[in-house]
Structure formats: C-alpha cells, structure tokens
Amino acid sequence: MINYVTAGESHGPQLTGVLTGIPAGLQLDIDAINTGLAARQGGFGRGNRQQIEHDTVQITGGVRHGVTLGSPIALTIMNRDHAHWAAIMDPVSPATATNTLRQVTRPRPGHADLVGGMKYGHRDLRNVLERSSARETAMRVAIGQICKQLLAQLDIHLVGYVQQIGPKQVTADLTLSVDQLQAQIAQNDLRLPDAALVPEIHELITATKKAGDTLGGVIRVVAENVPAGLGSYTNWDTKLDGQLAAAVMGVNAMKGVEIGDGFAAASHYGSQVMDEISWDEHAGWSRLTNHLGGFEGGMTNGMPIVVKAAMKPIPTLYKPLQSVDIATKVSQKASVERSDTTVPASIVVESVVAIELTRALTATFDGSNLARFQQTVTAYREELRQY
Ligand code: EPS
C-alpha cells in the first residue's frame, strides 16, 4: 500500500518527499510531473514568490532509467528563494545575532502562527510559518502526479478545477467528462471550466489585491473509471469517502468537503437523492444519476467520484488584521508576509485525491509489479461486471 511523507521549510534549502508502495515497472513521465508543478505555480493572482521559483522535481531514489523499481521513491524540489535566506534558514549553523533576524512575533489571524507557536513552544513564529506555508503543497503535487500516472495505467483519469472564486460562481456543465474538463480549463489562467466569467474574475482579483485582501473559492474534482468496491462499509475507518475527506481537508486552507451533492442532499427527499440502479451486458452495473458522487456505504460504486472542497481566503493579508505581539503582549497589526491573492489549489486537491485513490487500489490489490497489478484489476473489473 502506498504511503508518503514530505519535509522541508518554505525558505529552507529544499522540499523532500518519500513515496513508498508504487509498483515496479511504471515508466515515469517527469515532464508531466513538472507540468503539474507549473500549474500549481501559475494562474492569475499569484504573488512574487512564483517568479523566483521554477519548480522541477529531481528523483534520487526508487527509479532507474525512468522506470520505478518498487522501492521508495525519493523526490527533491529545490527552493530557489533559499539563496535569499541562506543564513536565516541554515539548518545546521548555531543561532547568532545576525542569522536570527526577521523574527515573526505578530501572528496572522487564520494562519497556524499563534497556535503552532503555543503548541511547540516557539518564540519566533517563523519556525511555524515556514512549514505551514502552502509551499509544502508543491511536494504533494509531485507525489500526486506520480499517482495520477499510475492511475492512468488502470485507465482511471481525474481532474481538479475551480468552480467558484470569492462570490463568483461558474455554472459548469456537470456532465462534462474529465477529458472535456481538462481541455476547457487549459484555455484560461484560473482553471475554470467556463471562460465566460474569466474577465470578471480577473477584475475581482485585481481589485482585491489592491485592497490588500484575499479570496477563497470552491474546487471540484472528478475521477472517472474508478472500479466499484474500493473502501469498505465494515468499519468507520475503512470508508474511502472518509479517507478522501481527510486528505482534502489536509490541504492548506480547506474548510469544507462534500462528496457528490453533499450539503445540498440534506434538503432534498430521498427519492431525489438516491441513484437508481441499472445493469447492461456491456457496462455492467451502473446508476442512472450520480447524486452520491460515486460512493455508497463508504465504497466506490463505479460512478465518477465527485469531491468538492471549500477553501477559505488566504490568511496572509497585505492589509493586516488585528493581532497581539507575543513578545510584548501589545495589541498590534499582524505581520505582513509576502502573499498571493488567490492560489491554484485545484491542482493540489486533484493531487491528494489521486494519492488516496492510489492508496485504496494498492491496499486492495497486489501492487508489487505494474503488469500484475493491471491484470488483477482487469480481472476484478470483469468479475464485478458479471456479478
Ligand atoms: C507559496 C509560497 C509562499 C507564499 C504562499 C504560498 O512563499 P513566500 O512566503 O516566500 O511568499 O507565497 O504561502 C502563503 C502566503 C501562506 O500563507 O502559506 C507557494 O509556493 O504556494
């Protein structure tokens, strides 16, 4: 079963990732991983940090001649900005008067600063913000894009896109396929499936930036051709929708997760929400609708998986909010750190969904070797079709 860990501070030397459990024999497309990293960096509303970084992944373990070995995959993404922080973020040299400058003592409301400092006993809140920064999500995207490549070998495809930015909501066609969605979002710099609102949202972002404020939004991820029966109804902690929700909520700034119709289902009648069952020789078992977003009883049901995430506005504001200095206890404005007005978090949410689906598949089927993994999943799909 796959697992992963990331390490690294935002202005430290590098981000590090270790991914275990990817089958041997997967030909990695490094360019595609880097395309995912570029998507995370790009988009309208990004701050100046992204002009410094050109995120590319280096692979230093678990892969030979471009093909996975089945051993842990070690990944590095360099922080170019570290050059400007070399002394202050030096991992080894003892602290001195000069390399501890730029301390942060005025926590930003909504960020991890204050509680992180309280919990870990840091008096310089830089020790918190360096790790809680969304910079870490670069590594999750690299890992997620590797998982996405494995999923593609099973003909499972997914995409994350933006449905809402601030109050501006796109009325997307919910019947679009992953391919169609991918083609649509590639045509604008907001990952929106409908370009009509792009000029309006550009204006909103520009005005928000001018006002020193930030925006949140809603992200939707769709995954197609996921076999039925991943996850389990037998215990609360084996329900895959719960695991997906935890992974999505684990992305910085997420405050809500929905599966399928989510909260809207609560105000409808059961007859409007349950997806009626059908069967045919070719497609096997299916549902006539997909209100439940591909999940019944905590298990995938073979319909497209639909996950939505609500992201709060980025808490780092150029027009800072009220705070209290942790050194003096004097009420002051929060510290101002470089920030973004909006971020392309949909590629991050897409990546963590890819990771959780890969985890579920590798937990269910022997994932030692890609060819065997594919054969086993194909046989399983055939068995379910005939059930
Ligand atoms: C980010 C990198 C960070 C921030 C941002 C996201 O880099 P820096 O602090 O050097 O500007 O731009 O993170 C936050 C503002 C935050 O509050 O976490 C990134 O690479 O996504």
Side-chain angles (χ1 to χ4, degrees):
M1 177 168 104
I2 71 141
N3 246 314
Y4 75 99
V5 67
T6 75
E9 278 61 47
S10 180
H11 302 106
Q14 66 178 56
L15 301 175
T16 304
V18 177
L19 170 61
T20 59
I22 292 289
L26 175 68
Q27 172 81 50
L28 284 185
D29 180 347
I30 311 283
D31 290 343
I33 302 173
N34 290 334
T35 302
L37 291 174
R40 195 202 74 92
Q41 285 201 271
F44 198 82
R46 273 305 225 170
N48 293 337
R49 174 73 184 267
Q50 307 313 324
Q51 285 156 27
I52 301 170
E53 304 298 341
H54 298 282
D55 290 342
T56 50
V57 72
Q58 292 167 33
I59 299 187
T60 54
V63 181
R64 190 166 177 221
H65 308 308
V67 181
T68 58
L69 299 173
S71 45
I73 300 175
L75 307 160
T76 299
I77 299 170
M78 300 307 291
N79 290 325
R80 285 189 174 204
D81 203 16
H82 179 63
H84 307 119
W85 295 82
I88 289 178
M89 291 306 295
D90 186 319
V92 177
S93 303
T96 64
T98 49
N99 72 13
T100 50
L101 294 172
R102 301 188 67 172
Q103 296 212 356
V104 178
T105 57
R106 288 170 288 127
R108 293 160 293 172
H111 216 287
D113 302 347
L114 178 59
V115 189
M118 291 162 82
K119 179 175 169 71
Y120 288 92
H122 294 306
R123 301 307 302 180
D124 177 2
L125 300 179
R126 176 159 303 288
N127 291 341
V128 178
L129 72 88
E130 283 288 337
R131 179 65 185 161
S132 62
S133 163
R135 172 92 189 131
E136 182 272 344
T137 61
M139 187 51 77
R140 271 190 273 180
V141 168
I143 289 169
Q145 297 305 303
I146 293 176
C147 291
K148 220 177 135 179
Q149 290 179 25
L150 177 61
L151 294 173
Q153 294 295 320
L154 302 174
D155 203 22
I156 296 170
H157 302 278
L158 74 162
V159 64
Y161 64 92
V162 175
Q163 239 189 4
Q164 187 178 330
I165 296 185
K168 306 272 180 202
Q169 198 171 341
V170 175
T171 39
D173 178 354
L174 299 183
T175 63
L176 292 182
S177 69
V178 166
D179 270 358
Q180 289 168 321
L181 285 165
Q182 245 147 5
Q184 303 264 30
I185 66 172
Q187 283 169 30
N188 63 79
D189 57 8
L190 295 168
R191 290 176 72 89
L192 286 173
D194 172 4
L197 273 185
V198 169
E200 222 175 288
I201 296 182
H202 278 177
E203 251 173 61
L204 171 68
I205 294 173
T206 305
T208 306
K209 186 175 182 178
K210 227 177 182 171
D213 221 324
T214 57
L215 292 161
V218 175
I219 291 154
R220 188 167 182 268
V221 179
V222 183
E224 278 172 2
N225 205 25
V226 181
L230 299 183
S232 170
Y233 65 91
T234 56
N235 271 308
W236 68 271
D237 57 350
T238 57
K239 290 176 189 273
L240 182 57
D241 47 4
Q243 292 162 1
L244 269 182
V248 171
M249 200 62 119
V251 175
N252 310 38
M254 297 305 152
K255 292 305 253 184
V257 184
E258 292 185 339
I259 306 282
D261 289 356
F263 275 73
S267 56
H268 296 148
Y269 291 108
S271 57
Q272 299 170 306
V273 173
M274 303 316 139
D275 302 306
E276 291 183 300
I277 297 170
S278 69
W279 186 89
D280 79 60
E281 179 68 36
H282 172 69
W285 296 94
S286 186
R287 305 291 182 279
L288 301 179
T289 52
N290 191 24
H291 297 294
L292 299 179
F295 277 98
E296 287 168 307
M299 298 168 291
T300 54
N301 64 6
M303 294 299 286
I305 290 179
V306 179
V307 186
K308 271 167 68 181
M311 181 184 155
K312 75 180 180 194
I314 297 157
T316 308
L317 302 184
Y318 279 111
K319 201 172 82 189
L321 298 173
Q322 198 59 38
S323 184
V324 173
D325 191 306
I326 61 162
T328 62
K329 305 290 189 292
V330 173
S331 183
Q332 282 196 317
K333 293 286 180 196
S335 70
V336 177
E337 290 284 321
R338 180 169 52 193
S339 184
D340 313 80
T341 317
T342 55
V343 290
S346 58
I347 186 82
V348 183
V349 178
E350 171 191 294
S351 297
V352 301
V353 170
I355 294 170
E356 290 315 306
L357 294 180
T358 304
R359 196 198 304 275
L361 282 156
T362 53
T364 310
F365 306 102
D366 176 10
S368 316
N369 169 275
L370 178 61
R372 191 187 314 124
F373 187 53
Q374 286 173 306
Q375 281 163 18
T376 317
V377 174
T378 303
Y380 173 75
R381 281 178 162 140
E382 184 50 24
E383 184 193 325
L384 292 196
R385 189 178 68 81
Q386 293 178 18
Y387 169 82

